[in-house]
Amino acid sequence: VPVEQLADMSFADVPVIVNDAPRDRQVLLANPTVTVFVRGGVDKLAVLTAEDFGASIEYQNLVSDTTGAITPAILLPAGVRLLKIEPLSIRYTIRQ
């Protein structure tokens, strides 16, 4: 059984995308990018870049939110585990 050494790594400037926003609404994010901290095998992490990760927020979640800040969903490549993201939540404004 092959065993690979684990490592922690961060990937900065992962863009946050707002999905399904109506054309007549503009969503302004206080932080348009996040830093993703992950753990995985050394060989796997060595070939990853920030473009291999995704961060998204569903517009409907913004509409139903009452706090003014929301945590984006993070899309990870196979073989890595999410440790944390910074910032944890993103303040937003919805304009007409």
Side-chain angles (χ1 to χ4, degrees):
V1 175
V3 178
E4 186 175 5
Q5 183 177 2
L6 291 177
D8 296 348
M9 194 167 182
S10 65
F11 295 89
D13 299 325
V14 175
V16 179
I17 306 299
V18 177
N19 294 322
D20 300 326
R23 292 191 184 274
D24 63 340
R25 301 283 192 259
Q26 180 182 17
V27 178
L28 303 173
L29 300 176
N31 300 87
T33 64
V34 292
T35 300
V36 178
F37 296 84
V38 295
R39 176 172 291 150
V42 173
D43 293 337
K44 177 69 175 179
L45 293 177
V47 298
L48 294 177
T49 66
E51 289 79 32
D52 295 312
F53 296 86
S56 65
I57 299 170
E58 296 298 323
Y59 179 78
Q60 192 57 41
N61 292 342
L62 296 176
V63 172
S64 61
D65 178 66
T66 59
T67 64
I70 197 160
T71 301
I74 305 298
L75 177 66
L76 300 171
V80 297
R81 190 178 89 196
L82 181 65
L83 297 176
K84 67 178 182 174
I85 64 169
E86 287 183 357
L88 179 59
S89 61
I90 298 175
R91 292 188 344 258
Y92 62 90
T93 303
I94 300 174
R95 288 190 182 169
Q96 291 187 358

